[in-house]
Amino acid sequence: MGKPMRIRAKAANGETTVRALMAHIMEGGQRKDSSGNRIPAHHITDVTASHNGKTVLTAQWGSAVSQNPFLAFTFKGGAAGEKLAISWKDNKGDSRTDEVTIS
């Protein structure tokens, strides 16, 4: 399991804006180490965000996403005090879910 995500969610005017920073190496599998051996791919493949049990975002990522990816999105609904959860899974079977209270 990776390090905790840094998530901020703020509700205003009937919409919630979410910003999340995910700690992940996001290795694409194309680089070589100092010995000339290919570094195996290790990257996030699926991201899901849910609010009150309803999915508000799904994303499928590939190897071209940068290390420690930043994700920002807005969805309709959400109010201060409600919970928002973001989950990711990577190509090696690792996963992480973190939750934040909307402000």
Side-chain angles (χ1 to χ4, degrees), residues 42-63:
H42 187 195
H43 54 86
I44 294 173
T45 57
D46 298 293
V47 179
T48 305
S50 60
H51 167 253
N52 289 339
K54 178 183 172 190
T55 300
V56 294
L57 173 109
T58 58
Q60 294 179 334
W61 288 355
S63 60

Side-chain angles (χ1 to χ4, degrees), residues 4-39:
M5 288 179 258
R6 296 179 61 187
I7 306 169
R8 294 210 183 356
K10 184 169 178 81
N13 302 320
E15 294 184 339
T16 301
T17 301
V18 180
R19 299 181 318 165
L21 182 62
M22 303 171 194
H24 198 283
I25 64 169
M26 299 299 285
E27 183 58 55
Q30 302 297 315
R31 294 185 319 130
K32 294 183 180 180
D33 62 17
S34 59
S35 302
N37 299 318
R38 199 172 289 264
I39 300 170

